[in-house]
Amino acid sequence: MMKGDNYLGNISSNEQSGVPTGKGQSLNSKEDARRQRREKRIRDLKESRSFWLISTITKWADKYFLDAFLGFVPSVGDLVSSAFGLPFIYVSLVKVKSIPLTLAIIYNYLVDILLGSIPFFIGDVIDFFCKAHVKNLDLITRYVEGDKKTIRQVRSKALLTAILIILLSVIIYFVFSLLIGVTKWTWSLIVAMFNWLSAFLTSSYS
C-alpha cells in the first residue's frame, strides 16, 4: 500500500471509530473551552458575596415573610422593603452585565411595589403571596445557567418591559401622591377632631 493510501486509511478508520480529526478536533476544543468558561462564570457568580447576599435576602424577606411583615410598618417598612431589591439589580447589571435581565428584575419589583401600595392592609396581605425576591433570584439563576427559554423571553420582551417600567413608575408616583394626600387629610381631620373634643370638654367643666 502506498503512503497516501495509508494516510487516507487512518482518516477513514478515525472517522468510523468516532475519533474527531482535524477541523472536528478544533471545533470540539473551542466548544469545550467555551463551556468551561461559562461554567467558571456560573461558579464564580454563585460563590460571590453579592450572590450570597441576594440568596440571604430571598430566604429572609420572602421565605420567612420578613418583607410582608415590614409592610405593616408605615413608611419605614416600605422603604426598607424596597431597598432589598437593590442588590438584585446590582448583580444583574454589574455581575451578569445584562440590561434586558435588569429591566425584567426592575419590572417585577415595580409590580410588587404597586400591589403593596393597595390600602387597608390589602397590599400587605398580597405581599405574603407575591414573592418578588424568589422570582428574581430564580430569574437570575436560570439566565446565568444558560436556560434558553428564559434568555429568549427576557431578551425578546426587553423593549416592552422598558415601556411597562415607565408606565408603572408614573402610576406608582400618582398612587403614592394620592396616598400621601389622603394620609395628610386624615391626620389633619384627626387633629381637628381632637382639638374640638378637647375644647368641648374644657368648656363643659369650666
Side-chain angles (χ1 to χ4, degrees):
M1 180 181 292
M2 296 177 64
K3 186 176 181 181
D5 294 335
N6 188 33
Y7 175 72
L8 293 173
N10 288 336
I11 293 177
S12 177
S13 62
N14 285 339
E15 290 176 348
Q16 290 177 0
S17 62
V19 177
T21 60
K23 190 174 180 180
Q25 286 181 332
S26 177
L27 289 174
N28 286 340
S29 62
K30 287 181 179 179
E31 290 177 1
D32 289 340
R34 193 180 301 114
R35 177 178 54 81
Q36 289 173 3
R37 286 196 299 269
R38 183 173 65 250
E39 290 176 352
K40 185 178 184 302
R41 285 197 301 268
I42 296 171
R43 186 170 60 253
D44 290 344
L45 175 63
K46 291 187 174 182
E47 291 176 355
S48 66
R49 293 179 64 86
S50 53
F51 192 85
W52 172 84
L53 179 59
I54 63 175
S55 300
T56 303
I57 289 173
T58 301
K59 181 174 70 174
W60 284 96
D62 277 351
K63 294 182 179 179
Y64 294 162
F65 303 109
L66 177 62
D67 191 34
F69 285 117
L70 282 173
F72 289 100
V73 182
S75 300
V76 178
D78 292 329
L79 183 63
V80 174
S81 178
S82 300
F84 283 160
L86 294 178
F88 292 81
I89 297 173
Y90 170 80
V91 169
S92 64
L93 189 60
V94 178
K95 293 290 186 178
V96 184
K97 295 181 174 64
S98 172
I99 293 178
L101 178 62
T102 304
L103 291 174
I105 288 173
I106 293 173
Y107 171 78
N108 288 337
Y109 280 128
L110 289 178
V111 171
D112 185 62
I113 291 171
L114 183 60
L115 292 175
S117 66
I118 300 175
F120 308 112
F121 299 106
I122 296 175
D124 298 317
V125 174
I126 292 176
D127 277 338
F128 281 94
F129 305 98
C130 183
K131 300 180 178 182
H133 300 306
V134 170
K135 186 183 298 183
N136 283 334
L137 179 62
D138 182 59
L139 191 62
I140 290 173
T141 302
R142 285 188 282 116
Y143 192 93
V144 169
E145 290 180 348
D147 183 75
K148 293 182 179 179
K149 182 179 179 181
T150 300
I151 294 173
R152 184 170 60 252
Q153 288 179 344
V154 167
R155 291 179 177 176
S156 63
K157 296 179 180 179
L159 180 59
L160 176 61
T161 304
I163 295 172
L164 291 175
I165 286 174
I166 296 172
L167 292 176
L168 282 173
S169 299
V170 173
I171 293 171
I172 290 171
Y173 171 78
F174 283 109
V175 167
F176 273 88
S177 298
L178 179 63
L179 290 175
I180 291 172
V182 171
T183 302
K184 288 181 178 179
W185 178 83
T186 304
W187 181 250
S188 62
L189 181 63
I190 292 172
V191 171
M193 291 180 64
F194 178 79
N195 291 335
W196 176 84
L197 182 62
S198 177
F200 176 79
L201 291 176
T202 302
S203 62
S204 297
Y205 286 101
S206 59

